[in-house]
Amino acid sequence: MEYMKTGDTPSMASNSTTNINKILCCECGTPIEPNPSNMCVACLRTHVDITANIPKQAVVFFCRNCERYLNPPSEWVQCSLESKELLSVCLKRLKGLKEVKLVDAGFVWTEPHSKRIKVKLTVHGEVMDGVVLQQVFVVEFTVNNQMCDDCHRTEAKDFWRCLVQVRQKAINKKTLFYLEQMILKHKAHENTLGIKPSPSGGLDFYYATDAHARKMVDFVQAVLPVKVTNSKKLISHDIHSNSYNYKYSYALDVVPISKGSLVCLNKKLQQQLGHISPICLVTKVANAVHLMDPRTAQMAEVQNMAFWKNPFETICNPKQMIEFIVMDIEIVRDNEKKNFPGQGPVSYRHVLADVWVVKASELGINENTVHIRSHLGHLLKPGDSVMGYDLQDANINNAEFEKLKQESVPDILLIKKYYDKSARKQTRNWKLKHLTEDVALDTDIENDYNEFLEDLEDDPDLRQNVNIFKDNSKVIPVDVNDMADPSAPRITLEEMLDDLVLDDVEMAEA
């Protein structure tokens, strides 16, 4: 009995101890471990809200122009709907999340145009004596529109941080017209704050960031031979954060040469270009200057670095061309052409011919027939008018030209076949777009622009880089006999684009 008594005593003691450690919940009466609130976890959850300090409604700011959200304090980020970037922006707007532990977060679907974003959050919070509660709730964000600083500066139209100035120190501005069409075709002007024409005939592009300005500089360097000069001006300086505010300027100097000009090369450049003749015709100005000898049809290309290393000037520009009348023409045979070792490439699009011409102003008065070899044998026939340079009567002030021997200088150089300008202008059923409409066209610039349009009609390769639009205001001749000059080069309808015209028609009230 003693053994049994001693054996029963520990069992009875443990049961009594267990019953003493358990208490009843003051709300539901469930036995629980003692705690300061005397409530079970279920009842405690109904009385304590761990999300009381977390707002259930908040505001996020959205810029409609650039479609970015404000990431506090001052950063604007690009976010798509229900993305992790947008979720991060929304969570930063909630102040009380530091007091609890965030377990899960996700979006609740809302209508995309409702300007409402709902986020479902799951959090853990310690209440008392290690009791951890979990709670799920939804926070509704209202999307408010607010313009960011970059868009605000863009809308102001007068704020700029970077300036790109494009200039050409030449009498003829046809190269700038070509650059304008290249910019329009490749949409290189999309990031500009504004475009202003300069009185000298160039263009000024204004940008908000240096990266956009450099992108335009790289584009112009890719399509034209240019020389770039950059500078910067200090606007302000914060000594506390050691930050500087600069305004950058880029000056782009385009080659002072245009299509149809005559240039005179030095001996060093002649040797580099396959011993070409010193007097050459500029056939095209693109990413390189394309030259050709009108008397041999030999071609050469001068790249950007090579031109600025050995620059050459224009000795005759297209404004100095005069009209000649073709009296007779004879195609040059292959065995009569001059070939020599080391000669550069020869154009197969042109045909060499011996041409006898007379000045149009002397026709019937003092017909002084002049013989010249020309590259226009595939276009000319007796009786045609042709434009060319009279080097005998021209006043040329050039150091390299004065070094040439008199017998090596031709009397006349024929450049292109002449067509009636007024007739071509009347029958032109296409048009071009421009970067800005604020250009005041004087007589000289208008003549240069008409010459550029004629070059587009004459050269199919040149108009491949230009967007040509159909002009619906002009009547297109159906029959060839309706044209003023059927032989004049024209742009076909297949090469034209339909101009997009948006007519806003107001809806009638019901």
Side-chain angles (χ1 to χ4, degrees):
M1 294 296 294
E2 242 181 306
Y3 176 76
M4 295 297 295
K5 287 181 181 179
T6 56
D8 291 342
T9 303
S11 165
M12 295 173 60
S14 63
N15 291 334
S16 61
T17 304
T18 304
N19 294 331
I20 293 173
N21 290 338
K22 293 285 187 177
I23 64 173
L24 299 179
C25 175
C26 64
E27 291 287 333
C28 61
T30 304
I32 59 173
E33 295 290 337
N35 59 64
S37 63
N38 296 328
M39 287 188 294
C40 64
V41 176
C43 296
L44 188 63
R45 185 180 291 113
T46 60
H47 286 76
V48 180
D49 186 9
I50 62 175
T51 65
N53 296 329
I54 302 176
K56 303 304 184 292
Q57 291 182 344
V59 177
V60 293
F61 296 99
F62 175 71
C63 180
R64 291 185 297 178
N65 293 340
C66 60
E67 297 183 353
R68 294 187 298 176
Y69 290 87
L70 176 60
N71 188 18
S74 60
E75 183 185 4
W76 291 83
V77 294
Q78 194 85 23
C79 304
S80 58
L81 292 177
E82 299 190 2
S83 62
K84 61 180 181 179
E85 293 83 4
L86 182 57
L87 183 61
S88 175
V89 171
C90 293
L91 294 179
K92 286 185 179 180
R93 304 296 297 179
L94 301 179
K95 297 181 180 179
L97 283 179
K98 295 181 179 179
E99 301 175 3
V100 295
K101 181 180 179 182
L102 181 63
V103 178
D104 188 21
F107 288 99
V108 178
W109 186 88
T110 57
E111 180 66 31
H113 302 288
S114 64
K115 295 294 183 181
R116 296 292 186 273
I117 299 175
K118 292 184 179 181
V119 179
K120 184 179 180 181
L121 303 176
T122 304
V123 295
H124 285 178
E126 184 177 349
V127 181
M128 55 187 69
D129 294 339
V131 177
V132 178
L133 296 181
Q134 176 177 318
Q135 193 166 344
V136 180
F137 63 101
V138 176
V139 180
E140 181 178 342
F141 294 88
T142 303
V143 181
N144 288 353
N145 294 325
Q146 178 179 330
M147 187 176 292
C148 65
D149 295 338
D150 295 336
C151 294
H152 184 74
R153 291 165 181 166
T154 304
E155 292 295 326
K157 299 295 183 184
D158 57 353
F159 178 84
W160 59 273
R161 196 176 298 275
C162 298
L163 171 63
V164 178
Q165 297 177 318
V166 181
R167 299 291 185 271
Q168 185 183 23
K169 301 175 183 178
I171 299 177
N172 196 296
K173 304 294 183 181
K174 290 193 294 184
T175 307
L176 289 181
F177 291 124
Y178 173 74
L179 175 62
E180 179 187 28
Q181 298 303 317
M182 289 289 291
I183 293 174
L184 286 171
K185 183 178 180 64
H186 297 278
K187 298 180 180 180
H189 63 295
E190 286 185 334
N191 298 318
T192 56
L193 297 180
I195 303 174
K196 294 182 180 179
S198 105
S200 60
L203 290 172
D204 294 337
F205 300 89
Y206 297 90
Y207 293 92
T209 61
D210 187 36
H212 292 159
R214 289 180 178 272
K215 188 176 180 180
M216 171 59 81
V217 173
D218 295 339
F219 174 79
V220 178
Q221 284 182 311
V223 299
L224 282 180
V226 295
K227 181 172 63 175
V228 181
T229 305
N230 58 346
S231 63
K232 61 181 180 179
K233 179 181 178 181
L234 179 63
I235 304 301
S236 61
H237 173 213
D238 188 358
I239 59 175
H240 301 287
S241 61
N242 199 25
S243 60
Y244 296 84
N245 182 18
Y246 289 101
K247 277 193 174 182
Y248 299 88
S249 297
Y250 297 90
L252 305 184
D253 191 7
V254 184
V255 288
I257 295 173
S258 60
K259 181 179 179 180
S261 302
L262 277 186
V263 295
C264 187
L265 309 178
N266 55 32
K267 290 186 178 180
K268 182 178 180 180
L269 194 56
Q270 288 178 242
Q271 295 175 356
Q272 295 176 356
L273 300 178
H275 298 277
I276 196 171
S277 174
I279 299 178
C280 295
L281 170 67
V282 179
T283 58
K284 185 180 179 182
V285 179
N287 54 356
V289 180
H290 297 255
L291 305 176
M292 185 177 64
D293 182 7
R295 294 176 293 175
T296 61
Q298 183 179 344
M299 301 183 300
E301 292 185 8
V302 182
Q303 301 297 329
N304 187 12
M305 296 297 295
F307 175 84
W308 297 110
K309 190 175 182 180
N310 293 309
F312 47 86
E313 299 177 355
T314 299
I315 60 175
C316 293
N317 61 78
K319 298 180 185 293
Q320 298 174 311
M321 286 193 294
I322 60 176
E323 184 181 356
F324 295 90
I325 305 299
V326 179
M327 306 304 294
D328 195 7
I329 183 172
E330 182 179 344
I331 304 299
V332 177
R333 299 177 182 177
D334 292 338
N335 55 3
E336 297 177 359
K337 297 179 182 178
K338 295 182 180 179
N339 298 318
F340 53 88
Q343 186 181 16
V346 179
S347 174
Y348 293 100
R349 294 177 51 188
H350 301 85
V351 177
L352 290 180
D354 290 325
V355 187
W356 287 263
V357 296
V358 176
K359 287 184 179 181
S361 59
E362 298 179 355
L363 187 64
I365 302 174
N366 184 16
E367 296 185 1
N368 184 15
T369 305
V370 180
H371 167 259
I372 185 65
R373 180 161 290 187
S374 176
H375 63 294
L376 302 176
H378 60 296
L379 294 176
L380 301 180
K381 61 182 183 297
D384 286 344
S385 297
V386 59
M387 303 299 293
Y389 296 107
D390 187 359
L391 299 183
Q392 284 184 331
D393 298 337
N395 185 10
I396 300 175
N397 185 12
N398 184 273
E400 298 297 332
F401 183 79
E402 294 175 356
K403 296 178 183 179
L404 300 178
K405 297 181 180 179
Q406 189 65 29
E407 57 271 12
S408 63
V409 178
D411 297 336
I412 295 174
L413 282 180
L414 303 181
I415 306 303
K416 63 178 182 179
K417 186 177 179 180
Y418 175 76
Y419 302 97
D420 189 6
K421 292 181 176 292
S422 60
R424 295 183 70 173
K425 190 174 182 180
Q426 290 177 359
T427 57
R428 188 172 292 137
N429 55 0
W430 54 274
K431 61 181 179 179
L432 301 177
K433 291 188 176 181
H434 301 282
L435 290 173
T436 176
E437 301 296 337
D438 300 334
V439 182
L441 292 178
D442 55 12
T443 305
D444 292 336
I445 297 180
E446 188 176 1
N447 291 336
D448 294 343
Y449 182 67
N450 289 330
E451 289 183 14
F452 173 69
L453 298 182
E454 293 175 1
D455 291 341
L456 290 178
E457 293 174 340
D458 297 338
D459 192 354
D461 295 336
L462 182 64
R463 58 177 178 260
Q464 287 182 356
N465 300 323
V466 177
N467 285 337
I468 300 173
F469 296 91
K470 188 188 305 181
D471 191 357
N472 295 324
S473 62
K474 296 289 185 68
V475 179
I476 303 174
V478 179
D479 192 2
V480 179
N481 297 326
D482 297 338
M483 301 181 182
D485 188 359
S487 63
R490 281 177 175 80
I491 298 178
T492 60
L493 291 175
E494 290 79 7
E495 299 177 87
M496 300 181 192
L497 301 175
D498 289 329
D499 192 7
L500 179 61
V501 179
L502 298 177
D503 295 331
D504 293 334
V505 180
E506 295 184 357
M507 295 174 56
E509 295 184 0

